Amino acid sequence: MKTIRLAVLILAAIVSIGAKAQQASETTNRSVYLELLGASNIVGVNYDARFKPSSPWGYRIGLGYTYSKQYSMFSGSNSLRGPDIPLEINYLLGKKRSKLDLGFGLNLGYYTEKYDTWNIRKAGEVDGVPYFESEYAGEAKHSLWGYFFFGNIGYRYQPTRGFQFRAGISPSFNLGGKHAVSKSISPYVSFGYVF
């Protein structure tokens, strides 16, 4: 419970800093967009803003959803699902509406993992060599916190106001540990509105 409170406090602090920076001028670009894949995993809604008016430096904070399912002939099925929060510092390179979008961030998630369990028992022996059988024992689940760091390399159509489009790739890595989430390079696309 303490970890959830800490994540909410960090989220509130980032939004508060962004709101104060945006009060400085009406020309500060802010946007809300729907992202598919990338740092949001499956789907996410994100808020993005510049730190200062006309600055190429900005940040994003979002709420995403993860779902993955794997099936193996030897271990059965395994699924992971749950909400996640992508946090990113980004830089927009370009003079007009078309920009190179570069960023680095951290994704924090709280996931439920479900997996099949199996009982293995000795079934007998053939010529002194034992053989075993496995039988399905049911489904087990547990909840866990997870994280991964991600990069962002892409194209952003960023007008002063109106429709926004983003597309690119999001490579990721972690520093290990029991909470590390393994993920590779993921493409992304997003559609949003700049105000």
Side-chain angles (χ1 to χ4, degrees):
M1 218 41 181
K2 287 182 181 181
T3 311
I4 293 172
R5 283 187 228 147
L6 180 61
V8 169
L9 285 173
I10 291 170
L11 179 64
I14 291 172
V15 170
S16 174
I17 291 168
K20 287 179 183 177
Q22 291 167 9
Q23 290 172 355
S25 172
E26 291 295 317
T27 61
T28 303
N29 286 338
R30 299 166 296 201
S31 65
V32 176
Y33 58 85
L34 176 72
E35 181 177 57
L36 303 173
L37 301 176
S40 293
N41 288 317
I42 295 296
V43 64
V45 176
N46 294 268
Y47 173 78
D48 184 282
R50 303 297 90 204
F51 285 115
K52 293 181 181 178
S54 304
S55 172
W57 289 98
Y59 67 94
R60 80 139 158 195
I61 184 167
L63 181 61
Y65 185 76
T66 297
Y67 176 79
S68 68
K69 187 163 187 165
Q70 299 174 339
Y71 184 80
S72 167
M73 184 170 64
F74 300 108
S75 63
S77 68
N78 182 359
S79 70
L80 187 71
R81 66 181 75 194
D84 55 62
I85 300 172
L87 306 168
E88 177 189 61
I89 300 294
N90 54 47
Y91 185 83
L92 300 179
L93 185 61
K95 301 270 185 205
K96 306 232 178 202
R97 295 177 179 182
S98 291
K99 304 195 184 282
L100 176 62
D101 187 353
L102 302 172
F104 180 77
L106 169 68
N107 184 303
L108 303 168
Y110 186 68
Y111 310 112
T112 299
E113 182 178 27
K114 291 183 181 179
Y115 50 92
D116 291 338
T117 58
W118 300 85
N119 291 329
I120 299 174
R121 63 180 178 84
K122 184 176 177 180
E125 280 186 30
V126 174
D127 296 328
V129 178
Y131 65 93
F132 298 87
E133 291 181 348
S134 63
E135 61 185 17
Y136 180 70
E139 186 177 76
K141 70 177 182 175
H142 70 275
S143 296
L144 62 129
W145 285 98
Y147 83 92
F148 63 88
F149 294 99
F150 64 90
N152 175 30
I153 305 163
Y155 167 80
R156 184 188 293 208
Y157 175 75
Q158 177 88 9
T160 306
R161 301 244 187 285
F163 175 76
Q164 177 192 57
F165 173 77
R166 297 171 62 251
I169 59 169
S170 180
S172 65
F173 66 95
N174 62 57
L175 301 176
K178 68 178 185 177
H179 298 290
V181 174
S182 294
K183 192 176 173 211
S184 60
I185 295 175
S186 175
Y188 68 86
V189 64
S190 74
F191 307 93
Y193 186 78
V194 178
F195 54 97

